[in-house]
Amino acid sequence: MSLTRAAARGRVVGARLPIVGSRSSSFVPNTPEEWEAAGYEVSPKNGAPKIPSPWNKWFPYEPIPFSPKLGPYRVMVEKDRVYQWCACGEATTQPFCDGVGCKDTKFKPITYIP
């Protein structure tokens, strides 16, 4: 059966392979204590873990931000209002900066105007 004919009939061509390394099969810590037990550095300000990426292996002197949430934030914003997005990950008012988290770090808040 051709791919075009299969698509028209709503069939899947080929075998379905399981997704290797999906989150459903692996353990993802939820609390700061679980992140520390897994060997990660945790922020004393909001309990967010510091998760290095492959980028940090290639550039070891780049600062690593904390990751308070492993996914996107959905927030309502107002047009023409100035927001300060938190780049360090230590603000308690995520995803926006509270002015306390970025102190004494190499990160600066990023201005966002919708």
Side-chain angles (χ1 to χ4, degrees), residues 10-88:
R11 294 184 183 170
V12 177
V13 176
R16 291 186 180 181
L17 300 174
I19 299 172
V20 178
S22 65
R23 282 195 173 178
S24 61
S25 65
S26 63
F27 173 72
V28 178
N30 290 325
T31 64
E33 293 80 19
E34 291 175 353
W35 282 106
E36 283 183 324
Y40 292 92
E41 180 183 348
V42 177
S43 169
K45 297 177 185 174
N46 65 356
K50 186 180 280 190
I51 304 172
S53 71
W55 176 271
N56 301 114
K57 290 180 183 178
W58 300 321
F59 301 99
Y61 300 106
E62 289 288 318
I64 302 172
F66 287 93
S67 302
K69 182 178 175 183
L70 300 178
Y73 284 94
R74 185 178 181 130
V75 294
M76 300 297 291
V77 295
E78 298 174 9
K79 185 179 178 182
D80 297 329
R81 183 174 173 193
V82 178
Y83 294 94
Q84 298 293 323
W85 180 78
C86 179
C88 69

